Amino acid sequence: MIPWEKLDTAKIPGSDEELRLMRRGREFSIKLGTNELMNNRLSGSEAALATLAAKQIEKVAKPAVLIGGLGMGFTLRAALAVLGAKAKVVVCELVPAVVTWARGPMAEVFGDSLDDARVSIRETDVGEIIRAKSSAFDAILLDVDNGPEGLTRKGNDALYSAGGLTAAKAALRPGGVLAVWSSGPNPAFTKRLARAGFDVNEVAVRATGRGGGARHVIWIAKKA
């Protein structure tokens, strides 16, 4: 068995917590304490976040998409695979080191996705972009933290609060979709989405995307 090797660590802005980038052969893992946040062998549900959202806006000729959380790029690569050549994708990543890892030790995992002409990377809190925009996006995809209940940073909770959902709705164009990834169900969040005026569909997905792995949840919330 090949042992895990720690490649780097990174502080999370606004938190005392620290991310660790680990490698074992060609397998990568990003960990927080004893929790594994992501692994390049388990990408199915994060990819589904993009494909399910893209299905909702497939008739939009020039879709504008905002992705909260770069991570290992699963959602970004899936979005690029299904969106047309005229799409524009903005990816917000709060931890600058994650972008550095994507261009460095995990470059093989990311391929050419970060250099795609449709993509722009912003090293900032996705909430700031959401709050600053009005009717700017056809889809907002949030894979931030562990879902609606923050694990890595308490400030992430604001994204999923009533005020955060109101801001997200305002940042969407008519017919736009807010897609949210979570490690598990959250009935209170489902109700919060409905109270914010979204048409909500809760989808159960598996971590591997092939019927295996942990059960994750994606909310597809449509703006009228």
Side-chain angles (χ1 to χ4, degrees):
M1 175 68 73
I2 301 173
W4 283 102
E5 173 190 5
K6 183 168 70 173
L7 298 183
D8 199 9
T9 61
K11 287 287 187 181
I12 301 172
S15 168
D16 294 327
E17 301 286 359
E18 185 177 75
L19 297 179
R20 304 191 313 282
L21 175 63
M22 310 292 292
R23 179 176 61 194
R24 181 172 62 185
R26 300 184 69 178
E27 180 180 3
F28 290 91
S29 174
I30 295 179
K31 295 185 176 182
L32 175 74
T34 59
N35 296 296
E36 182 175 67
L37 300 181
M38 59 199 79
N39 185 300
N40 64 312
R41 293 183 181 275
L42 301 172
S43 62
S45 61
E46 289 87 348
L49 179 66
T51 55
L52 290 171
K55 184 69 175 177
Q56 299 295 317
I57 59 170
E58 60 185 353
K59 294 182 180 179
V60 179
K62 299 179 180 179
V65 177
L66 176 64
I67 298 177
L70 175 61
M72 291 187 175
F74 307 132
T75 301
L76 171 61
R77 294 193 296 280
L80 293 175
V82 295
L83 295 171
K86 295 181 179 179
K88 294 295 182 184
V89 182
V90 178
V91 183
C92 292
E93 173 54 54
L94 182 67
V95 184
V98 171
V99 181
T100 301
W101 297 343
R103 296 191 180 278
M106 290 196 295
E108 184 178 345
V109 175
F110 278 79
D112 60 0
S113 60
L114 297 183
D115 297 318
D116 192 298
R118 294 170 290 175
V119 177
S120 61
I121 305 294
R122 301 284 301 275
E123 294 180 5
T124 188
D125 185 341
V126 68
E128 293 184 5
I129 301 296
I130 290 172
R131 292 189 294 271
K133 300 293 184 178
S134 177
S135 299
F137 302 106
D138 297 290
I140 297 174
L141 284 53
L142 296 181
D143 182 6
V144 175
D145 214 310
N146 217 36
E149 292 186 359
L151 174 67
T152 65
R153 178 174 175 263
K154 194 62 179 175
N156 291 331
D157 291 348
L159 285 170
Y160 308 107
S161 68
L165 296 180
T166 297
K169 188 178 178 184
L172 287 168
R173 295 168 179 167
V177 61
L178 172 65
V180 178
W181 181 95
S182 176
S183 61
N186 189 314
F189 182 64
T190 304
K191 293 178 181 177
R192 203 150 62 238
L193 283 166
R195 286 197 296 268
F198 287 103
D199 181 12
V200 185
N201 183 24
E202 185 177 332
V203 183
V205 291
R206 300 300 286 265
T208 65
R210 298 185 297 275
R215 295 180 183 273
H216 297 157
V217 172
I218 294 172
W219 288 272
I220 300 295
K222 197 81 179 284
K223 176 179 177 178

